[in-house]
Amino acid sequence: MAEPLKNIYNPAFLMEFGQTIQAADPSFPAEAFVDKVMNEHWEELALKARIRHITNVLGALLPERYEHAIDILLEVNRHCSGFPYLILPDYVEVFGQADEHFELSMRALETFTQHSSAEFAVRPFIIQHPERMMKQMLSWSTSENEHVRRLASEGCRPRLPWGQALTEFKRDPAPILPLLTQLKADPSLYVRKSVANNLNDIAKDHPELVLQIAKEWMGQNPHTDWIVRHACRSLIRSAEPEVMALFGYTSASETMPLAMEAAVSVVPVTINIGENTTLRYELLVRTGPPVRIRIEYGIDFVKAGSKVSRKKFLLSDKTVEGGSRLTGSRTHRWADLTTRRHYPGLHRIVLLLNGQEMAYTELQLQNAIEDQL
């Protein structure tokens, strides 16, 4: 089993980090820093709680004057790089939100993000000063540094995972659009992924807006086309006809089905939670010119209270010759995840072609034997 990510913050890391701070500020008590962090509640803390706890301990041990503390951390930043050093922008988030510190905090975040990421730390500033911050983010979107440009997009995502939700931008994403337009042909894949993810977030609340943007942007630049395709991935999964047509997926009609034959099966058909099953499928694509197809399987998961919720899984997305016979298999794991818990019951499994159900089968999921005793 993989080591929990929170364990990167261990005594060895904390001592090295404390000594780096001490090199920048000889009065900083590195050993006391480790002792204060590793208190009796440390093992109970999750990842983000550990980061915030370290930040609060820094606040107690660094100079009380914010300007002096930031000078020290900027020097520390020169010797630190990577995910663990989210501590540095977190310090700005916690201690740098006063109006008189705004400009200094922005300079610090711009610097810190180049060594880790300030995407979480900027969000309280956006909530507190939306107009001022979006001007700042638009300025960052023109930076020569790809990490700073990515911060401009990633920091204002309405639904950033692990991040504080930007409720106003979920309601009205208009303030984000000039920034995304600025970055729509960015040469950095790191930045383009963020722009696509931002638009994908927006699509969950405003699908019509993102479809309109996709139509306007398509065909302008290969980088832009890449962004548009990835930005619309949730819309494609929804299989709305207008979206599918935009990206060239072949449609079906009463007289011209997408497939002449379709079948799906699972082996075994009865399993325990935690076990695997093998899914197999076969499709005979209609004869004629080449067709763009997206093959998925969907599982109607049984939820608590006997409710059902479908989740789709991609099998193939490509253009094939008319008349092609397509076969494939996939192992599906029925182990519980942090994002999905399994419940016993009859699960319907469907084969989807460009969003249309072509065939189905069923699987009986049951508790492990030891849970039944």
Side-chain angles (χ1 to χ4, degrees):
M1 183 178 293
E3 181 85 1
L5 187 56
K6 70 177 187 177
N7 288 348
I8 59 176
Y9 297 112
N10 53 43
F13 169 84
L14 293 169
M15 179 56 71
E16 182 180 358
F17 184 51
Q19 290 172 344
T20 303
I21 299 174
Q22 193 175 63
D25 175 18
S27 67
F28 184 81
E31 292 185 3
F33 166 69
V34 178
D35 290 342
K36 286 181 178 294
V37 170
M38 301 290 294
N39 63 24
E40 65 272 20
H41 302 295
W42 176 250
E43 290 300 326
E44 303 169 8
L45 299 179
L47 174 64
K48 290 197 72 177
R50 287 191 174 190
I51 293 173
R52 182 53 53 87
H53 177 55
I54 295 170
T55 295
N56 288 330
V57 172
L58 285 177
L61 298 178
L62 285 169
E64 184 177 354
R65 186 172 172 81
Y66 179 70
E67 293 85 349
H68 293 170
I70 287 297
D71 282 344
I72 293 167
L73 295 181
L74 287 169
E75 175 61 27
V76 169
N77 184 67
R78 295 176 57 200
H79 309 283
C80 300
S81 182
F83 178 87
Y85 299 100
L86 289 174
I87 300 163
L88 300 180
D90 194 62
Y91 185 92
V92 176
E93 177 183 343
V94 173
F95 297 103
Q97 291 194 50
D99 287 347
E100 63 268 25
H101 297 148
F102 184 85
E103 295 298 336
L104 176 59
S105 292
M106 294 302 103
R107 290 197 297 272
L109 291 176
E110 181 176 345
T111 302
F112 292 154
T113 203
Q114 297 177 49
H115 288 250
S116 56
S117 179
E119 65 202 63
F120 304 113
V122 298
R123 298 174 81 77
F125 289 92
I126 295 174
I127 293 170
Q128 187 174 351
H129 307 285
E131 292 185 10
R132 190 177 188 184
M133 273 304 298
M134 291 313 292
K135 288 180 181 178
Q136 177 65 66
M137 306 281 269
L138 187 59
S139 175
W140 281 339
S141 73
T142 65
S143 172
E144 293 183 359
N145 187 284
E146 66 174 354
H147 296 274
V148 177
R149 298 197 307 276
R150 177 185 180 272
L151 173 62
S153 171
E154 197 72 5
C156 65
R157 284 180 58 182
R159 295 171 172 268
L160 179 68
W162 290 8
Q164 192 172 0
L166 298 180
T167 305
E168 285 302 308
F169 288 173
K170 287 165 66 175
R171 182 185 61 81
D172 179 14
I176 305 174
L177 301 184
L179 184 152
L180 300 183
T181 300
Q182 171 68 35
L183 296 171
K184 68 179 182 179
D186 199 277
S188 167
L189 179 60
Y190 189 47
V191 176
R192 295 199 301 275
K193 284 182 178 179
S194 178
V195 175
N197 288 337
N198 198 319
L199 284 168
N200 187 56
D201 281 2
I202 295 172
K204 294 173 182 177
D205 299 298
H206 304 276
E208 302 86 359
L209 174 61
V210 173
L211 179 57
Q212 177 186 339
I213 291 172
K215 290 178 178 178
E216 293 174 356
W217 286 9
M218 283 277 282
Q220 295 185 14
N221 181 288
H223 291 332
T224 307
D225 288 347
W226 187 96
I227 288 173
V228 167
R229 178 64 176 76
H230 287 267
C232 291
R233 59 188 183 272
S234 294
L235 298 180
I236 291 171
R237 281 197 293 269
S238 72
E240 291 294 332
E242 193 172 4
V243 176
M244 302 301 279
L246 179 64
F247 292 98
Y249 292 99
T250 303
S251 61
S253 66
E254 293 183 3
T255 58
M256 187 68 72
L258 280 173
M260 307 305 295
E261 298 174 15
V264 62
S265 63
V266 290
V267 178
V269 296
T270 300
I271 62 168
N272 296 327
I273 295 172
E275 296 178 341
N276 299 340
T277 191
T278 300
L279 177 145
R280 294 186 175 87
Y281 70 92
E282 182 174 3
L283 285 166
L284 176 60
V285 179
R286 74 188 190 194
T287 57
V291 291
R292 177 72 185 272
I293 59 171
R294 179 181 176 88
I295 306 172
E296 301 165 291
Y297 68 99
I299 300 179
D300 292 335
F301 285 103
V302 175
K303 311 300 287 185
S306 299
K307 295 181 180 179
V308 173
S309 177
R310 176 171 292 185
K311 180 173 177 57
K312 298 178 182 179
F313 302 87
L314 181 64
L315 290 166
S316 182
D317 190 328
K318 59 186 178 181
T319 298
V320 300
E321 294 295 327
S324 297
R325 183 174 293 276
L326 307 174
T327 61
S329 64
R330 173 72 58 85
T331 298
H332 187 91
R333 296 171 174 80
W334 295 85
D336 287 343
L337 306 171
T338 55
T339 55
R340 182 168 66 250
R341 182 180 176 186
H342 294 87
Y343 295 85
L346 189 65
H347 288 63
R348 188 169 185 265
I349 303 173
V350 298
L351 181 67
L352 301 163
L353 180 59
N354 289 4
Q356 293 188 331
E357 290 191 18
M358 307 303 297
Y360 79 94
T361 188
E362 293 177 328
L363 174 141
Q364 184 69 43
L365 187 64
Q366 59 190 22
N367 287 320
I369 294 176
E370 57 267 24
D371 294 333
Q372 300 175 32
L373 298 178

